[in-house]
Amino acid sequence: MTYCVGLKIDRGLVFMSDTRTNAGIDSISTFRKMTVWKKEGDRVIVLLSAGNLATTQSVVSLLDERSKAHADRAPSILETPSMFQTARLVGDTVKEVISNSAPVGQRADAFGASFILGGQMKGSEPRLFMIYPEGNFIEASDDTPFFQIGETKYGKPILVRAYDPQMTFAETAKLLMVSFDSTLKSNLSVGLPLDMLFLARDSYRIELQKRIGGDDPYYRQISEGWSDALRNAFKSLPDFPG
């Protein structure tokens, strides 16, 4: 299992993902679930992945291979004319990988994977998409300004309650860390370290990219502070009058 979030604010796009792919009694594995492609001054594209690890790695590897020799390997994620066409490319690649992975007679959903795709190209707005295992996708809007994939239920309430499109990057980072901390404390299959990336509107470059481990002082402050705040909020509520 995993947990990834892509969030759209007025200032740009913010992404965060965990790195755990397996959590058994004696087996814990981590893999990066955030992939970035960029052409300085032209585009930055970020892809978050969840689901079958072989599928997600194959999709990323195909997209990456075709981007490095794009003159001979069309289509390339670095040459698509729009973010919409990029989402179509990723969706088609997902369908291609799953179709090739499932043996005849075996259910293709065993190889399923979902993705969050976001970025900005020169001359267009920042855009954010959710791509499903079937290869189809939807785009973020004012009504749906963020997407989650993986283990979504524990971290969603704080996003719904506290999201504001006018948030700064610093405020958004705080919001996402609370969301991830709530998920980590509720589900062993989501784990540190976390990967975080800020993409500022119209900059066509990465504003900040950071890996956050369990020893990160700010993450520990947020985790402990949120626990204390919840306990204090609970104690402040009136007791049952029965």
Side-chain angles (χ1 to χ4, degrees), residues 7-240:
L7 193 148
K8 188 175 182 180
I9 56 176
D10 292 346
R11 288 172 169 81
L13 301 173
V14 186
F15 303 88
M16 187 176 281
S17 61
D18 85 315
T19 53
R20 182 162 294 174
T21 58
N22 184 65
I25 295 175
D26 58 357
S27 176
I28 295 178
S29 303
T30 61
F31 286 89
R32 182 180 293 274
K33 301 167 190 175
M34 179 185 296
T35 305
V36 182
W37 292 272
K38 57 184 178 179
K39 287 174 69 175
E40 201 72 26
D42 178 71
R43 69 184 64 195
V44 176
I45 297 168
V46 182
L47 187 69
L48 308 180
S49 59
N52 182 282
L53 184 60
T55 299
T56 59
Q57 289 194 333
S58 294
V59 169
V60 171
S61 294
L62 268 177
L63 291 168
D64 199 44
E65 179 185 7
R66 290 166 178 169
S67 73
K68 291 176 180 176
H70 50 78
D72 303 318
R73 297 175 184 266
S76 163
I77 200 166
L78 291 176
E79 300 297 325
T80 49
S82 68
M83 285 302 302
F84 179 84
Q85 292 299 327
T86 306
R88 288 189 61 182
L89 171 61
V90 174
D92 289 344
T93 306
V94 173
K95 288 190 290 186
E96 175 187 347
V97 168
I98 292 178
S99 175
N100 292 337
S101 297
V104 176
Q106 186 167 344
R107 289 167 58 94
D109 55 9
F111 300 90
S114 53
F115 299 84
I116 296 173
L117 172 74
Q120 185 178 19
M121 298 181 184
K122 192 170 184 179
S124 63
E125 291 287 305
R127 299 178 74 176
L128 186 68
F129 299 87
M130 165 91 84
I131 301 172
Y132 297 99
E134 296 78 12
N136 55 339
F137 54 88
I138 59 174
E139 184 173 1
S141 65
D142 291 341
D143 294 326
T144 309
F146 62 85
F147 290 129
Q148 302 168 281
I149 53 176
E151 187 56 81
T152 62
K153 57 183 175 292
Y154 302 108
K156 187 173 183 178
I158 184 63
L159 297 180
V160 172
R161 289 175 180 268
Y163 167 82
D164 185 328
Q166 297 181 351
M167 298 174 84
T168 65
F169 282 128
E171 290 170 331
T172 308
K174 178 170 61 176
L175 174 64
L176 288 178
M177 285 199 187
V178 171
S179 177
F180 272 76
D181 182 67
S182 299
T183 305
L184 266 65
K185 282 184 167 56
S186 302
N187 194 314
L188 181 65
S189 67
V190 179
L192 297 163
L194 308 176
D195 290 318
M196 180 171 62
L197 185 147
F198 298 163
L199 174 58
R201 174 185 290 270
D202 299 333
S203 67
Y204 312 109
R205 63 179 178 82
I206 296 169
E207 185 80 8
L208 180 144
Q209 187 170 11
K210 182 177 182 179
R211 173 156 285 197
I212 301 158
D215 58 348
D216 183 272
Y218 180 71
Y219 174 77
R220 293 181 63 179
Q221 183 181 3
I222 290 295
S223 179
E224 294 167 4
W226 182 243
S227 295
D228 291 342
L230 286 176
R231 281 192 291 268
N232 292 334
F234 174 75
K235 289 177 182 179
S236 70
L237 295 173
D239 291 334
F240 179 66

